[in-house]
Amino acid sequence: FGGSDTVNTSATESWNGTAWTTKNNANTARRGAAGAGGSNTSVIAFGGYDNSNIIGATETWNGTSWTTSPVSLNTARTQIAGAGTQTAALAFSGYTGSYVGTTESWNGSNWTSVNSMSTGRSLVGRAGTQSAALAMGGEPGGSAITQTESWGGTSWTTVNSLNTARYGAGGAGTQTAALAFGGFTGATSAATESWSGSSWTSVNSMNTARSRMGSAGVQTAALAFGGSDTVNTSATESWNGTSWTTSPNSMNTVRSGLGGAGVQT
């Protein structure tokens, strides 16, 4: 959902494991939003940049249409990360005009501000749930970093760093079994790393180097879609725990800076 090619979009697409289907648009066209949700029928989207402002608008997806919540994030921001489900989500990091580590928890009806990250940054990779999340890499201003932070439900703890500094990476999995892929390292990257719960290991790279993509899934079955290298792409790749395979079916709308949620299929 969302993203931008030449202009921000509200386009929404659903993946069935083989092909993308265009669905009803989101209510707010935006890029840099985050998403959370365990399936493609129950998703929450929040934050981002519409065509003129950084926003905190929150929308929920029921498998058919989007509904705008009367409650927005307490801190409007773009290039934000999210984890969890439609009724129990975590929003963290982002850009408000400055780089922030602001964290908010969603209970299905309201956002509550909780303890911030150790390092304010945007464009972090993400994995996990509302009570056990992982944030990897990001941009605290000017360059990519390797820092990884773990959320225990109350506070963030700095843990072992990525092998490759990056921002705009895709992320999938849980706090103890995650995958980080792609991103910008000084150039657009295809590098992939696997998290064991204590350290990162470099594994096989993506077929298409890109950053600011949509991502979904778990450590052994992830999906990467859209994003940007020198130009935006609609390419879709799936990860089987060992290697990436490019799908013959790309997204219908070319874009980067999009949100994603759900599982590989």
Side-chain angles (χ1 to χ4, degrees):
F1 50 88
S4 177
D5 190 4
T6 56
V7 66
N8 289 349
T9 181
S10 57
T12 302
E13 300 185 42
S14 178
W15 173 256
N16 65 5
T18 304
W20 291 98
T21 301
T22 299
K23 298 290 189 177
N24 288 322
N25 287 349
N27 296 306
T28 301
R30 57 178 111 180
R31 67 178 185 269
S39 73
N40 62 3
T41 59
S42 179
V43 178
I44 184 171
F46 40 90
Y49 180 81
D50 64 14
N51 286 314
S52 56
N53 298 294
I54 294 172
I55 61 174
T58 299
E59 299 186 44
T60 57
W61 169 257
N62 64 6
T64 304
S65 60
W66 291 96
T67 300
T68 300
S69 170
V71 178
S72 294
L73 289 165
N74 294 301
T75 301
R77 53 199 135 138
T78 188
Q79 300 173 358
I80 185 175
T85 68
Q86 187 190 71
T87 57
L90 197 71
F92 48 98
S93 70
Y95 183 76
T96 64
S98 59
Y99 298 92
V100 299
T102 305
T103 304
E104 299 184 42
S105 180
W106 171 257
N107 65 4
S109 56
N110 289 288
W111 290 103
T112 301
S113 297
V114 291
N115 286 321
S116 294
M117 301 174 71
S118 305
T119 300
R121 47 183 147 160
S122 68
L123 295 169
V124 305
R126 87 295 182 271
T129 66
Q130 183 192 60
S131 58
L134 197 70
M136 45 273 204
E139 180 191 10
S143 60
I145 60 173
T146 59
Q147 186 181 14
T148 302
E149 294 189 50
S150 177
W151 170 257
T154 304
S155 60
W156 291 96
T157 301
T158 300
V159 292
N160 284 325
S161 296
L162 289 161
N163 296 301
T164 301
R166 62 182 92 187
Y167 61 80
T174 68
Q175 186 191 64
T176 57
L179 201 69
F181 40 95
F184 191 82
T185 64
T188 308
S189 176
T192 302
E193 299 185 42
S194 179
W195 172 252
S196 66
S198 59
S199 61
W200 291 99
T201 300
S202 296
V203 291
N204 287 321
S205 293
M206 303 176 72
N207 297 303
T208 301
R210 56 183 116 173
S211 67
R212 306 186 191 202
M213 75 206 78
S215 58
V218 297
Q219 186 190 58
T220 55
L223 196 71
F225 40 94
S228 177
D229 186 3
T230 53
V231 296
N232 289 343
T233 181
S234 59
T236 300
E237 297 186 48
S238 60
W239 169 259
N240 65 4
T242 303
S243 59
W244 291 96
T245 300
T246 301
S247 171
N249 294 315
S250 296
M251 299 179 70
N252 297 304
T253 301
V254 175
R255 50 187 142 160
S256 66
L258 66 162
V263 299
Q264 188 190 65
T265 55

